[in-house]
C-alpha cells in the first residue's frame, strides 16, 4: 500500500490560505465601530508580522470611529532593527485621512519586551501625530507567539 503525503509546498499553501482568511475576519471586525480593545489589534499584528525573520514596522490606519482604513508595512529592516522615519508616517496619515493609528513592529528574536529605543520612538511618533490631530491608540510589539501592547501597559 502506497501512502501519499502532502508536499511541503501544499501544506504551506494551505496554511497561507488559513492566515489570509483569519486576516480577512480580523479586518472585518476592525471595521466595526466597537473596535476599542487591544486584543483584535494584537491578533491582527501578530498574523501580519509575527512570522517574519526581519524587523518590519507597520501602521494600522483608522478612521475617526476607529474603523480600519488600511494596514501598511512602512519600514523593513534587519533581524534586530528597522529605521523608522516619523515624517513618512505623518505623510501617510494625511494621505489616507486617518483619525487614529496603531503602530506595530515585530521582534524576530522572540522576546516582545520593547527596548528603550522602542519607547522613545513611540513617544516621538505620538507627539508628531498629535500635531496633526491623530491619536496613537497603541503600539503593539509582536513575535511568532507573543504580543506586547503599550496601551495595556499604560505606556501611551
Amino acid at each position: 500500500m502506497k501512502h501519499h503525503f502532502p508536499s511541503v509546498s501544499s501544506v504551506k499553501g494551505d496554511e497561507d490560505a488559513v492566515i489570509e482568511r483569519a486576516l480577512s475576519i480580523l479586518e472585518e471586525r476592525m471595521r466595526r465601530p466597537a473596535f476599542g480593545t487591544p486584543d483584535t489589534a494584537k491578533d491582527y499584528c501578530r498574523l501580519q508580522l509575527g512570522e517574519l525573520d526581519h524587523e518590519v514596522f507597520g501602521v494600522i490606519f483608522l478612521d475617526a470611529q476607529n474603523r480600519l482604513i488600511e494596514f501598511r508595512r512602512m519600514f523593513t529592516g534587519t533581524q534586530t532593527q528597522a529605521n523608522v522615519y516619523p515624517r513618512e508616517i505623518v505623510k501617510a496619515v494625511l494621505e489616507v485621512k486617518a483619525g487614529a493609528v496603531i503602530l506595530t513592529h515585530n521582534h524576530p528574536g522572540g522576546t516582545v519586551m520593547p527596548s528603550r529605543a522602542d519607547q522613545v520612538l513611540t513617544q516621538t511618533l505620538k507627539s508628531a501625530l498629535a500635531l496633526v490631530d491623530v491619536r496613537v491608540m497603541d503600539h503593539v510589539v509582536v513575535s511568532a507567539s507573543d504580543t506586547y501592547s503599550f496601551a495595556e501597559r499604560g505606556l501611551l
Side-chain angles (χ1 to χ4, degrees), residues 11 17 22 47-48 50 54 61 63 85 89 91 98 109 117 120 136 138 142 147 149 154:
V11 169
L47 285 169
Q48 287 284 357
H54 57 282
F61 299 96
D63 69 11
Y85 301 96
I89 294 173
K91 282 173 43 181
V120 169
V136 175
D138 205 346
V142 301
T147 59
S149 163

Side-chain angles (χ1 to χ4, degrees), residues 94-116:
L94 295 172
E95 175 189 317
V96 301
K97 299 176 178 72
V101 296
I102 296 172
L103 309 170
T104 185
H105 77 280
N106 64 317
H107 282 177
T111 178
V112 293
M113 199 58 130
S115 67
R116 181 71 187 129

Side-chain angles (χ1 to χ4, degrees), residues 135-156:
R135 293 170 292 122
V136 175
M137 293 184 58
D138 205 346
H139 184 164
V140 179
V141 182
V142 301
S143 70
S145 61
D146 203 3
T147 59
Y148 183 100
S149 163
F150 278 58
E152 285 181 333
R153 306 293 173 108
L155 296 175
L156 282 178

Side-chain angles (χ1 to χ4, degrees), residues 80-92:
T80 58
Q81 70 178 9
N83 291 326
V84 176
Y85 301 96
R87 174 186 172 101
E88 296 304 313
I89 294 173
V90 171
K91 282 173 43 181

